[in-house]
Amino acid sequence: LANAFLFLSYASRDLLMLRVVLMLAGFCFVMWGSVVLTKVAIDTIVWNSIFCIINAARAAELAWQRRPVKFEREEHEHVYREVFEPVGIGRLQYKLLMQQSLLRSLR
């Protein structure tokens, strides 16, 4: 089963799916090292547990980056749609840019 998950991860083009499937493969290897083998393989358990933790952290990071980004002001939404979206700037990068900027009104 773990090898099937590894195969699916190699066929995946989406990084989030890759991380989730690799985490499942690592979990299967942990279960294999602790339950299936006649002698508990501590090295397999520890090594694959570390991989599971790393992949879970990276999957959470990718999921966080893909969350819907909402702007605080309507002006930011308008500027994003008119100027930044057509050139391929993502909503998260634009929001980070707006956090560093100073917005002033002209009279």
Side-chain angles (χ1 to χ4, degrees), residues 13-85:
R13 291 180 181 250
D14 182 26
L15 283 179
L16 181 59
M17 182 61 72
L18 171 84
R19 293 295 185 172
V20 169
V21 173
L22 284 175
M23 187 176 57
L24 290 172
F27 179 74
C28 288
F29 279 126
V30 168
M31 298 311 305
W32 176 71
S34 60
V35 176
V36 175
L37 294 179
T38 56
K39 187 176 179 184
V40 175
I42 194 71
D43 57 339
T44 302
I45 294 169
V46 170
W47 188 255
N48 285 290
S49 294
I50 292 170
F51 280 148
C52 282
I53 292 168
I54 291 170
N55 282 312
R58 294 296 184 183
E61 180 183 354
L62 286 169
W64 178 259
Q65 289 175 353
R66 292 183 182 184
R67 75 190 189 286
V69 176
K70 298 194 180 205
F71 301 121
E72 299 166 3
R73 300 177 67 164
E74 185 61 36
E75 294 89 5
H76 290 170
E77 181 71 38
H78 178 72
V79 170
Y80 173 74
R81 289 195 183 211
E82 294 295 323
V83 178
F84 291 92
E85 189 176 35

